[in-house]
Amino acid sequence: MQMQTGTASQTNEKPETAKKLVEIKDLKKYFSVTSGTFRKNTQTVRAVDGVTFDVFKGETLGLVGESGCGKSTLGRCILRLYEPTSGEISFDGQNITQLKSEYLRSLRRRMQIIFQDPYASLNPRMTVGNIIGEALVIHKLFADIAERQKRVAELLSIVGLRPEALFRYPHEFSGGQRQRIGIARALAVDPQFIVCDEPVSALDVSIQAQIVNLLQDLQAEFGLTYLFIAHDLMIVKHISTRVAVMYLGNIAEVAPSSELYVDPKHPYTRALLSAVPIADPTRKKSRIMLKGEIPSPINPPSGCKFHPRCPEVMEICSEVTPPLIHISEKRQVACHLY
Ligand code: SF4
């Protein structure tokens, strides 16, 4: 995979002057699930279970973890596409946790999402022009139809598509081109912050780099801030300024990208990274095999949720939940080893 070297925002890791754009405090999102013949048994899925972190203006915060760890739910809660169960979300200094729907519309202009599946996320019955133009209509931008079409054609050009695409339908495009349409739709309203929810996972490896490079170019051009959700650790390494590692609804570790991949602190991060192939055959790395499967978020383990699988588990781990603490200015870890 050929990717560009990092832009200024990728290489300049959280400068001291960086301002917080998104602040998440103790965010929880629980879902109720019912089962049984009369749907009487109600259980609670703790998808996001007390998450705290910040996203700084102009950076890309990578969010990694295994499937089902709560990454996508967290991304949707931040955008208020899901109502959080508790906790606080602030955007550009404003607490948006309880914002009523009439105020959410103007907020949505500033916060957008790029979905994982470019096949499912575009309405097959709408032309590309209408898919991208819809956001302009909703937000009452470019009331004049000709002006709106001009803006949509400009957006298509920005994401590397020809203006003729305006009148065509999603099924006429390849997966990579559809994801470009999804990106153009997100860009249409001039957002500041974009949640990229596994934006390349559904694409061929050969196309992934093109989309990642496009996202980097757009970030540099428009000063965008990204929360980049993915399970592919190497893509996250490439694009992210900092990385947050998530396990079963909690943040296990947050670190600058360059430090995390060289010196992971949390035992879960170490295990995840030990499974990533390295290009240099002279460097030896032994894979850390974790015991068992990721537990269910319906009935998660007590204390540190990673304790049943942790190679370094101690007595305290099953009893006391480790808080996410700073171990240096830029690094945070939730583990009793620190
Ligand atoms: Fe392992 Fe204990 Fe640290 Fe959890 S708190 S990661 S179980 S050492």
Side-chain angles (χ1 to χ4, degrees), residues 266-267 304 306-307 310 312-314 317 322 335-337:
H266 195 285
C304 172
F306 187 55
H307 86 258
C310 181
E312 303 185 51
V313 62
M314 303 172 285
C317 301
C335 173
H336 291 305
L337 291 170

Side-chain angles (χ1 to χ4, degrees), residues 123-315:
N123 187 335
R125 287 182 291 279
M126 286 171 76
T127 62
V128 168
N130 284 336
I131 288 170
I132 300 171
E134 192 180 34
L136 300 175
V137 173
I138 291 170
H139 291 283
K140 300 188 173 63
L141 303 166
F142 300 94
D144 180 82
I145 293 175
E147 284 293 307
R148 196 157 65 231
Q149 273 200 357
K150 200 171 141 205
R151 171 65 177 149
V152 174
E154 182 190 31
L155 286 159
L156 288 170
S157 151
I158 287 170
V159 299
L161 293 172
R162 300 168 72 86
E164 299 88 83
L166 260 173
F167 307 103
R168 293 166 61 192
Y169 289 86
H171 73 266
E172 298 176 60
F173 295 88
S174 67
Q177 288 171 325
R178 287 186 211 200
Q179 197 53 295
R180 287 175 192 266
I181 295 165
I183 293 169
R185 178 176 59 184
L187 282 182
V189 291
D190 284 331
Q192 291 169 274
F193 174 62
I194 300 181
V195 172
C196 306
D197 187 5
E198 304 249 13
V200 297
S201 309
L203 303 177
D204 288 349
V205 173
S206 58
I207 306 297
Q208 289 182 348
Q210 293 174 16
I211 298 297
V212 168
N213 290 342
L214 173 65
L215 288 170
Q216 287 188 309
D217 289 345
L218 296 172
Q219 183 174 47
E221 192 173 347
F222 300 112
L224 297 167
T225 302
Y226 293 143
L227 178 67
F228 191 93
I229 300 171
H231 61 266
D232 185 323
L233 288 152
M234 293 323 286
I235 289 177
V236 169
K237 179 185 182 190
H238 175 80
I239 197 170
S240 303
T241 321
R242 297 183 302 134
V243 178
V245 180
M246 203 165 169
Y247 185 80
L248 214 56
N250 295 107
I251 300 292
E253 179 163 8
V254 184
S257 184
S258 56
E259 292 182 32
L260 186 99
Y261 285 82
V262 176
D263 181 23
K265 298 291 188 194
H266 195 285
Y268 177 60
T269 317
R270 284 189 215 137
L272 274 186
L273 288 177
S274 77
V276 175
I278 47 173
D280 181 357
T282 59
R283 274 179 58 207
K284 284 218 163 61
K285 186 175 74 165
S286 50
R287 178 152 185 195
I288 301 167
M289 300 303 292
L290 293 177
K291 293 177 273 180
E293 296 294 315
I294 186 165
S296 164
I298 289 179
N299 195 8
S302 60
C304 172
K305 290 179 186 167
F306 187 55
H307 86 258
R309 304 173 77 196
C310 181
E312 303 185 51
V313 62
M314 303 172 285
E315 214 173 304

Side-chain angles (χ1 to χ4, degrees), residues 113-131:
I113 184 165
I114 298 166
F115 294 99
Q116 172 180 3
D117 188 347
Y119 296 88
S121 65
L122 305 177
N123 187 335
R125 287 182 291 279
M126 286 171 76
T127 62
V128 168
N130 284 336
I131 288 170

